[in-house]
Amino acid sequence: MSIWWSLHLRREAASVPLARRLLLGTMETAGVDPDISFELSVALSEACANAVEHGGPAADADSGGEPVSEACAAYRVTAYLDGDCCRIEVTDSGPGFPPSAVSGRRPEPAGPSEREHGRGLWLITELADHVRIRNRPGRGAVVSFDKILKWREGALLKVS
């Protein structure tokens, strides 16, 4: 059995815990080990926070106070639980990542001067088994990550 879902969320801080709670609820219902669920939920929160902060122009700053189009004011989260793997993908419509972020090199941990910013991609790479960061030219950025799942005893989706 497999489960997948996709959310189209507004670029607002309140959307981050919504996505996280949906993921945690899905994993709990399916029977995923709580430690694995927690790690994936933290990685998802970091990817969503990045999309909220950088995923498109802000109405006041970049558009002279004009309304932002619906596409720029939103981002998408898709989660797949299939067999013993979970894949999560967060897609936004912002300017994309700088070349150093999509080079395939593992991001360095944030230094003392970056305590509030710059650690999200590093956390995602630490918590997931495989991470892919890419740009969609003229259409934003995509952060996707996979993790091998562990199951609780009697789990609904447990792979035999």
Side-chain angles (χ1 to χ4, degrees):
M1 180 189 298
S2 62
I3 298 172
W4 74 271
W5 50 259
S6 186
L7 299 171
H8 186 81
L9 299 166
R10 293 192 54 79
R11 285 185 43 240
E12 298 172 344
S15 68
V16 177
L18 173 67
R20 183 177 175 143
R21 280 189 227 123
L22 181 59
L23 178 67
L24 284 169
T26 301
M27 295 199 161
E28 181 180 355
T29 301
V32 175
D33 176 83
D35 291 338
I36 298 295
S37 297
F38 177 76
E39 290 173 358
L40 281 168
S41 73
V42 171
L44 173 62
S45 294
E46 292 296 334
C48 290
N50 189 67
V52 167
E53 186 170 346
H54 305 291
D60 296 329
D62 296 339
S63 64
E66 295 296 317
V68 175
S69 74
E70 183 65 29
C72 290
Y75 66 103
R76 183 177 27 242
V77 176
T78 305
Y80 308 89
L81 278 76
D82 191 21
D84 66 348
C85 185
C86 177
R87 169 170 284 171
I88 297 172
E89 187 171 279
V90 178
T91 306
D92 67 43
S93 56
F97 288 103
S100 61
V102 295
S103 68
R105 292 190 328 257
R106 190 172 176 88
E108 295 296 319
S113 64
E114 301 171 312
R115 289 179 195 220
E116 290 299 316
H117 300 286
R119 67 176 186 249
L121 294 178
W122 178 80
L123 275 172
I124 293 168
T125 61
E126 290 297 307
L127 295 169
D129 294 327
H130 180 262
V131 178
R132 182 170 180 219
I133 300 166
R134 62 185 172 93
N135 289 326
R136 301 177 310 150
R139 296 181 20 220
V142 179
V143 175
S144 62
F145 49 96
D146 303 341
K147 188 154 184 86
I148 301 299
L149 300 175
K150 294 179 185 170
W151 302 93
R152 291 188 328 251
E153 192 63 37
L156 292 175
L157 298 180
K158 187 175 182 179
V159 178
S160 300

